[in-house]
Amino acid sequence: MATYVSALRNDLDFGAKLKRGVRDNPWGWYAGAGIVGLLLSRIPSKRRKKVVIKGPQMHSDVPKEAGKAAILVTVLKFALDFAKPTLMRWLRDRYLGSGRSPRTPGV
């Protein structure tokens, strides 16, 4: 009876059989694993949901107003950059004097 139990135990030891089979024939197991993975990746999922993305609505005047503001800022920057030397000279003359010493008037 002990020999039958031992033989049954060897027959039911699937872990050892699997290890031996992979060790004896690794390329067959790699190919089988690749085919099973390919088949599993091709099975369609039943939980797929359609995602609807709404685009931006361009019915408002916000883009037009933003465009006008951008043009105005660009024009003001150009005008101030162009007038900067004149403005600096005017501010220097107005607040710092005309370059004359305050103790020697008229010289």
Side-chain angles (χ1 to χ4, degrees):
M1 180 104 156
T3 47
Y4 291 121
V5 171
S6 175
L8 181 63
R9 188 172 292 149
N10 286 336
D11 284 342
L12 295 178
D13 193 5
F14 294 112
K17 285 183 180 182
L18 180 67
K19 287 180 185 178
R20 191 172 350 119
V22 171
R23 186 183 62 230
D24 293 342
N25 191 8
W27 287 105
W29 282 94
Y30 293 147
I35 291 171
V36 169
L38 182 66
L39 292 175
L40 287 177
S41 70
R42 297 296 176 188
I43 295 175
S45 173
K46 294 184 181 190
R47 293 183 11 161
R48 288 193 180 170
K49 295 180 182 178
K50 290 194 175 192
V51 178
V52 178
I53 299 174
K54 294 182 180 178
Q57 296 182 4
M58 302 298 267
H59 300 292
S60 66
D61 291 335
V62 175
K64 292 179 184 176
E65 296 298 324
K68 289 178 184 177
I71 291 172
L72 180 65
V73 167
T74 303
V75 168
L76 282 174
K77 183 181 179 329
F78 178 74
L80 287 175
D81 285 346
F82 188 69
K84 186 176 179 180
T86 305
L87 288 173
M88 293 302 292
R89 184 180 304 149
W90 179 76
L91 288 173
R92 185 187 67 206
D93 290 346
R94 178 164 175 114
Y95 292 109
L96 297 177
S98 60
R100 296 186 214 151
S101 172
R103 295 187 179 172
T104 56
V107 177

